[in-house]
Amino acid sequence: MANHKSALKRIRANNAKRLRNRYQAKTTRTFIKKLRNTTDQTEAQELYKTVSSMLDRLAKKNIIHKNKAANNKSKLAKFVNSLAAA
């Protein structure tokens, strides 16, 4: 257990940030799954804009690695474009 007041505060702040980060990451994963299950092209394009910005935000805050965000965005863009071709 921490002995200093500042260390106790740091523990509380870290827990709050951890929960917020987990919530945001989980929400993004849910949106990715929703996009993957979409068959309508216009709906997929709208969802892609949302998911893309969510991934960028997670990468900016170092919740996920920037390359992982880029890879996810690339794969999702290919998926959305394949819906347009079909």
Side-chain angles (χ1 to χ4, degrees):
M1 188 66 198
N3 291 322
H4 295 280
K5 231 176 178 180
S6 60
L8 294 170
K9 181 178 178 180
R10 175 60 50 206
I11 290 169
R12 288 195 310 271
N14 285 343
N15 284 335
K17 288 177 186 174
R18 179 178 155 269
L19 289 175
R20 189 178 318 119
N21 290 344
R22 285 182 63 193
Y23 171 78
Q24 289 174 347
K26 181 63 177 170
T27 305
T28 304
R29 286 198 304 271
T30 305
F31 268 82
I32 289 172
K33 287 174 190 166
K34 192 185 296 186
L35 175 58
R36 283 254 173 231
N37 293 329
T38 303
T39 55
D40 181 36
Q41 200 252 337
T42 55
E43 185 184 343
Q45 285 180 332
E46 290 302 312
L47 265 175
Y48 177 72
K49 289 179 187 176
T50 307
V51 171
S52 177
S53 68
M54 291 170 105
L55 286 168
D56 285 336
R57 208 171 299 130
L58 291 179
K60 179 182 171 187
K61 296 179 180 178
N62 287 326
I63 298 170
I64 62 173
H65 196 273
K66 64 178 182 174
N67 289 351
K68 179 179 176 128
N71 288 337
N72 279 338
K73 283 170 52 178
S74 173
K75 287 176 187 170
L76 292 172
K78 282 173 72 173
F79 173 74
V80 171
N81 290 336
S82 73
L83 287 178

